[in-house]
Amino acid sequence: MSNHTLQEKVALVTGGSRGIGRAIALSLAEAGAKVIINYQGNEQAALETLNQIKEIGGVGEIYKADVSSAEEVNSMIKNIIDKYQSLDILVNNAGITRDTLIMRMKDEEWHQVIDTNLTGVFNCVRAVTRPMMKQRFGKIVNISSVVGINGNAGQINYSAAKAGVIGITKSAAKELASRGIMVNAVAPGYISTDMTENLGEKVTENIVSHIPLGRVGTPQDVAKMVLFLAGPNADYITGQVISVDGGMAM
């Protein structure tokens, strides 16, 4: 394990079982943090992430909880703090998509995405606020999206939620700064994951044509930025939204 900038730190990554969440969990573990991998449905994938962490000599565990449930989130945070005596880093990454055009969108397709992608972030931020204020330290990194900045046809629910995450980030940053808690957001562009895989070659080609750097991003591209914001090199940075999108949103 290379750098130990996060030695002794305890980190929770929501939606840490696959894709961007997995890459984030691995990079935090590699930097020496104890990583709790939150997942909702796919225990197998969460265990795979944990095994990869163990392979690099890291420490972690998996924790099943639905972030859209305040009750489940509160109990998860309490259990983590009871066990580890602290929670230093929270990465709000859990997210789902239910893409369709506005006029076809069903109520539940709206609510499911808002509940997980927006209310889920609020639930987690609220739950860690008191313990982080007590320890007078905390790093919260919220995963937004390029579509939270630019919007996207067929994703009004997802775009609204990801824009909302930016609002949460800035409000929480202002409220918590005096207690040594930094809150930032990362806005990934088009990243190659399970979530984007099924879009097909034609759509992907079209997207790449709008990316100045001319390639899709990798989960590691996002994880490196999260690691930076979670670590000591970002101790004077709060309330920021940093795009990791190959220049898509500029």
Side-chain angles (χ1 to χ4, degrees):
M1 283 162 65
S2 46
N3 69 12
H4 283 79
T5 50
L6 300 180
Q7 203 63 48
E8 300 310 309
K9 297 278 188 265
V10 179
L12 167 64
V13 181
T14 71
S17 64
R18 289 176 303 175
I20 291 172
R22 174 179 287 181
I24 291 167
L26 275 163
S27 70
L28 296 176
E30 201 170 359
K34 301 183 178 90
V35 181
I36 294 96
I37 301 149
N38 157 262
Y39 70 102
Q40 190 190 342
N42 196 333
E43 187 181 3
Q44 196 48 51
L47 286 168
E48 275 167 40
T49 304
L50 183 59
N51 288 335
Q52 288 180 22
I53 284 174
K54 286 177 175 165
E55 273 165 28
I56 58 168
V59 179
E61 65 170 291
I62 67 171
Y63 198 111
K64 182 174 165 54
D66 178 356
V67 294
S68 73
S69 158
E71 204 181 337
E72 289 186 31
V73 167
N74 293 343
S75 135
M76 170 169 69
I77 301 303
K78 187 187 178 312
N79 287 334
I80 290 168
I81 287 161
D82 287 348
K83 180 169 180 178
Y84 296 98
Q85 275 67 65
S86 77
L87 179 54
D88 307 292
I89 298 159
L90 166 66
V91 182
N92 283 306
N93 167 75
I96 59 170
T97 53
R98 298 286 182 269
D99 299 352
T100 187
L101 298 173
I102 296 168
M103 61 183 185
R104 295 208 189 108
M105 188 168 288
K106 297 178 176 70
D107 288 356
E108 70 259 26
E109 290 169 329
W110 169 265
H111 288 299
Q112 283 170 344
V113 169
I114 296 295
D115 289 351
T116 295
N117 299 20
L118 183 59
T119 307
V121 175
F122 166 69
N123 286 338
C124 293
V125 170
R126 181 175 57 180
V128 301
T129 296
R130 188 166 280 130
M132 281 183 175
M133 281 167 89
K134 231 191 220 158
Q135 63 194 25
R136 299 196 79 81
F137 175 83
K139 294 284 181 110
I140 299 173
V141 184
N142 299 323
I143 307 300
S144 179
S145 168
V146 62
V147 308
I149 298 168
N150 284 5
N152 196 24
Q155 288 197 306
I156 196 168
N157 47 4
Y158 190 79
S159 300
K162 292 300 190 180
V165 167
I166 292 172
I168 286 177
T169 301
K170 292 181 176 182
S171 295
K174 286 187 171 166
E175 210 172 297
L176 303 175
S178 65
R179 301 300 182 97
I181 301 165
M182 282 131 274
V183 191
N184 292 289
V186 177
Y190 186 82
I191 308 294
S192 169
T193 65
D194 295 350
M195 206 185 245
T196 54
E197 214 164 59
N198 51 16
L199 287 175
E201 212 170 311
K202 203 115 192 107
V203 178
T204 304
E205 272 171 32
N206 180 41
I207 290 167
V208 171
S209 72
H210 293 104
I211 302 172
L213 286 184
R215 69 170 177 89
V216 301
T218 67
Q220 287 70 30
D221 289 324
V222 180
K224 285 173 198 161
M225 177 51 70
V226 174
L227 180 62
F228 168 71
L229 290 170
N233 291 335
D235 280 351
Y236 198 58
I237 298 172
T238 196
Q240 300 307 302
V241 182
I242 302 174
S243 296
V244 179
D245 64 359
M248 244 176 132
M250 67 174 162

XYZ file of all heavy atoms in Angstrom, residues 18-20 42 45 191-199:
105
model
N -20.177 -1.358 -6.420
C -19.825 -1.455 -7.841
C -19.399 -0.113 -8.399
O -19.557 0.920 -7.760
C -21.042 -1.938 -8.652
C -21.404 -3.373 -8.429
C -22.660 -3.749 -9.191
N -23.780 -2.899 -8.833
C -24.974 -2.959 -9.422
N -25.180 -3.800 -10.400
N -25.947 -2.164 -9.035
N -18.881 -0.148 -9.630
C -18.639 1.081 -10.396
C -17.796 2.113 -9.671
O -16.750 1.816 -9.110
N -18.291 3.359 -9.680
C -17.562 4.468 -9.071
C -17.379 4.232 -7.569
O -16.311 4.463 -7.009
C -18.290 5.802 -9.345
C -18.194 6.153 -10.845
C -17.702 6.935 -8.504
C -19.034 7.355 -11.270
N -27.091 -5.727 -3.754
C -26.159 -6.705 -4.308
C -25.030 -7.058 -3.331
O -23.937 -6.515 -3.381
C -25.579 -6.139 -5.616
C -24.920 -7.216 -6.454
O -24.452 -8.226 -5.944
N -24.887 -6.995 -7.759
N -21.682 -8.328 -4.954
C -20.807 -7.265 -5.466
C -20.099 -6.544 -4.321
O -18.914 -6.208 -4.422
C -21.624 -6.269 -6.296
N -18.913 8.316 -17.339
C -17.963 7.356 -16.774
C -18.389 5.953 -17.156
O -19.569 5.603 -17.079
C -17.912 7.464 -15.223
C -17.686 8.911 -14.773
C -16.845 6.530 -14.651
C -16.351 9.519 -15.142
N -17.425 5.136 -17.568
C -17.721 3.775 -17.997
C -17.999 2.868 -16.794
O -17.082 2.499 -16.061
C -16.524 3.265 -18.803
O -16.655 1.897 -19.015
N -19.283 2.534 -16.563
C -19.688 1.641 -15.466
C -20.849 0.770 -15.940
O -21.329 0.932 -17.058
C -20.203 2.427 -14.235
O -21.403 3.108 -14.611
C -19.187 3.426 -13.713
N -21.321 -0.125 -15.058
C -22.525 -0.926 -15.365
C -23.685 -0.018 -15.748
O -24.508 -0.348 -16.593
C -22.966 -1.739 -14.126
C -21.934 -2.780 -13.741
O -20.994 -3.000 -14.538
O -22.053 -3.360 -12.652
N -23.768 1.132 -15.080
C -24.899 2.037 -15.280
C -24.924 2.601 -16.702
O -25.984 2.844 -17.257
C -24.825 3.186 -14.261
C -26.160 3.819 -13.914
S -25.965 5.247 -12.824
C -26.787 4.676 -11.347
N -23.744 2.826 -17.274
C -23.683 3.435 -18.606
C -23.487 2.391 -19.709
O -23.658 2.699 -20.890
C -22.514 4.442 -18.693
O -21.301 3.797 -18.300
C -22.757 5.642 -17.799
N -23.137 1.168 -19.309
C -22.767 0.130 -20.268
C -23.861 -0.159 -21.289
O -23.604 -0.357 -22.467
C -22.429 -1.162 -19.513
C -21.337 -1.974 -20.172
C -20.767 -3.010 -19.204
O -21.546 -3.849 -18.733
O -19.557 -2.949 -18.926
N -25.120 -0.182 -20.805
C -26.214 -0.627 -21.680
C -26.737 0.463 -22.621
O -27.798 0.303 -23.219
C -27.361 -1.182 -20.821
C -27.775 -0.218 -19.715
O -27.423 0.960 -19.758
N -28.509 -0.719 -18.736
N -26.004 1.553 -22.764
C -26.461 2.622 -23.660
C -26.198 2.307 -25.132
O -26.772 2.925 -26.016
C -25.800 3.956 -23.286
C -26.287 4.630 -22.003
C -25.457 5.856 -21.696
C -27.760 5.005 -22.094
